[in-house]
Amino acid sequence: MSLFSYLLRRLVGFVAVMIGVSIITFALSHIVPADPAAVALGDHATEAQINDFHVKYGLNKPVPEQYWIYVTGLLRGDLGISLRTRRPVAADLHDFFPATFELSLTALLLSILIGVPSGVLSATARNHLPDHVVRVLSLIGGSVPIFWLGLILIGFFYGRLGWLPSGSRIDRFIPPPPTITGLYTVDSLLTGNAQAFWSSVKHLILPALALGYFSTAIIARMMRSSMLEVLSQPYVLVARAKGLSQGKVVWRHAARNALIPTVTTIGVTFGSLLSGAVLTETIFSWPGLGTYATSSAISLDFPAVMGVTLLAALVYTITNLIVDVGYHWLDPRIRHG
């Protein structure tokens, strides 16, 4: 199967997923037994004000017609108007999503850079000290709640040692870099602002560690399990019999094949990082999509909640597509099968 035909099939599935998500989120927003007009206008709103609100936002129309208006707006890139901020939801997502994406991507990179080598080390040193250490740390990482770990990191590295800041994206006395990508670390590098870069990096460390520890544990355990299976395969035994060094056997022959199931875990992990960012952003005062989604849900801001859900589904689906392309590169059987 060629890569083009493979991507075409995945694109059809992507469209179907997005249509399904839009239907489910729209239906759930209308099942909730609450009137967003009463929440947005307050307890002292008159009946006339509530009716005007319904007319203004189309809430007085039949549900199928509301959905049709919503879908046609989506095709134009219009996600509606936030009932809480009174701004276009697309503009709100444009402002808040880069912070969450930067945090989640940093946590994922840390998870991969730490988890994959840890899993390889644990498998190659099976039942020895490095293996026991990695397994214990992985068990802890899979059990510790994010909010508890975040508070511990703040108390130790900020409260006790004073090495790292406790929250926000950049120091208050340093102006943010000009917006190019929305990622402070990238934008500060592109504009040559070293002071903003190092400040944004320092602010990223603690929330990324708190968010990524669970993912690191999952990736390390999956990589260890895959490596143990691969290291017992005949082709690895043949490579060792040929006199290849341990490093070449492990990294050139075993690790690449062990990465195939691990890549799936990494893709699923990125989706969980986006959802886990809600707690992390709250603890570290990180102005991202999680904070925006929480505030919108509390205020019954249905257009904003649906916009966040669609964006999360979009990112998750694209991540799965990247994982599938990674399969195509890692496993020749997929390229030629």
Side-chain angles (χ1 to χ4, degrees):
M1 182 187 300
S2 67
L3 180 60
F4 176 77
S5 59
Y6 188 73
L7 291 177
L8 187 61
R9 289 176 55 188
R10 298 297 298 172
L11 181 61
V12 173
F14 166 78
V15 174
V17 167
M18 295 307 298
I19 292 175
V21 170
S22 69
I23 293 175
I24 292 173
T25 54
F26 188 85
L28 290 177
S29 68
H30 284 73
I31 292 175
V32 176
D35 187 356
V39 177
L41 298 176
D43 296 333
H44 302 289
T46 63
E47 191 68 26
Q49 290 174 324
I50 293 177
N51 291 333
D52 290 341
F53 187 94
H54 287 167
V55 172
K56 180 179 179 180
Y57 290 99
L59 300 177
N60 60 325
K61 298 179 180 179
V63 173
E65 185 177 352
Q66 291 185 44
Y67 178 72
W68 175 250
I69 294 173
Y70 179 66
V71 170
T72 54
L74 287 180
L75 296 177
R76 300 191 306 268
D78 181 11
L79 298 175
I81 303 297
S82 170
L83 305 180
R84 182 174 59 89
T85 65
R86 301 295 194 273
R87 300 177 64 218
V89 174
D92 286 341
L93 297 180
H94 179 271
D95 291 342
F96 287 99
F97 179 67
T100 298
F101 184 74
E102 184 175 37
L103 174 59
S104 300
L105 185 61
T106 304
L108 181 65
L109 291 176
L110 288 176
S111 300
I112 295 173
L113 293 176
I114 297 174
V116 171
S118 298
V120 173
L121 175 63
S122 179
T124 54
R126 185 178 185 182
N127 295 328
H128 290 81
L129 180 61
D131 183 28
H132 297 317
V133 171
V134 171
R135 291 169 65 185
V136 169
L137 292 178
S138 298
L139 179 62
I140 295 174
S143 306
V144 172
I146 291 179
F147 68 89
W148 183 86
L149 179 60
L151 294 175
I152 293 298
L153 291 176
I154 291 175
F156 185 72
F157 288 101
Y158 171 73
R160 177 77 63 175
L161 300 178
W163 289 356
L164 296 170
S166 62
S168 74
R169 297 183 69 188
I170 198 169
D171 291 337
R172 284 181 291 181
F173 58 85
I174 298 178
T179 301
I180 300 175
T181 64
L183 313 181
Y184 280 8
T185 51
V186 176
D187 292 346
S188 57
L189 281 177
L190 294 177
T191 57
N193 191 339
Q195 186 182 31
F197 173 75
W198 290 113
S199 177
S200 57
V201 168
K202 288 193 298 183
H203 282 76
L204 259 176
I205 293 175
L206 290 185
L209 286 176
L211 181 60
Y213 187 26
F214 176 80
S215 304
T216 303
I218 297 300
I219 292 174
R221 293 171 66 179
M222 176 58 71
M223 192 65 189
R224 177 186 183 274
S225 176
S226 300
M227 280 292 295
L228 288 175
E229 181 179 354
V230 170
L231 287 173
S232 62
Q233 296 298 314
Y235 66 86
V236 175
L237 300 178
V238 171
R240 284 176 171 162
K242 288 181 178 180
L244 295 180
S245 65
Q246 175 73 356
K248 288 184 178 180
V249 170
V250 169
W251 293 104
R252 182 176 297 179
H253 294 275
R256 179 169 179 173
N257 289 289
L259 274 174
I260 294 175
T262 307
V263 165
T264 303
T265 303
I266 292 173
V268 174
T269 294
F270 187 69
S272 66
L273 288 176
L274 289 175
S275 59
V278 174
L279 283 175
T280 307
E281 289 178 3
T282 302
I283 295 170
F284 289 93
S285 302
W286 192 265
L289 196 63
T291 304
Y292 176 74
T294 302
S295 301
S296 300
I298 293 174
S299 59
L300 296 180
D301 188 353
F302 294 134
V305 172
M306 289 189 290
V308 171
T309 305
L310 285 174
L311 179 59
L314 176 64
V315 173
Y316 198 81
T317 307
I318 292 176
T319 302
N320 285 333
L321 178 61
I322 295 173
V323 168
D324 291 338
V325 173
Y327 282 164
H328 211 268
W329 173 70
L330 286 171
D331 193 343
R333 293 171 298 180
I334 298 178
R335 290 200 296 269
H336 305 295

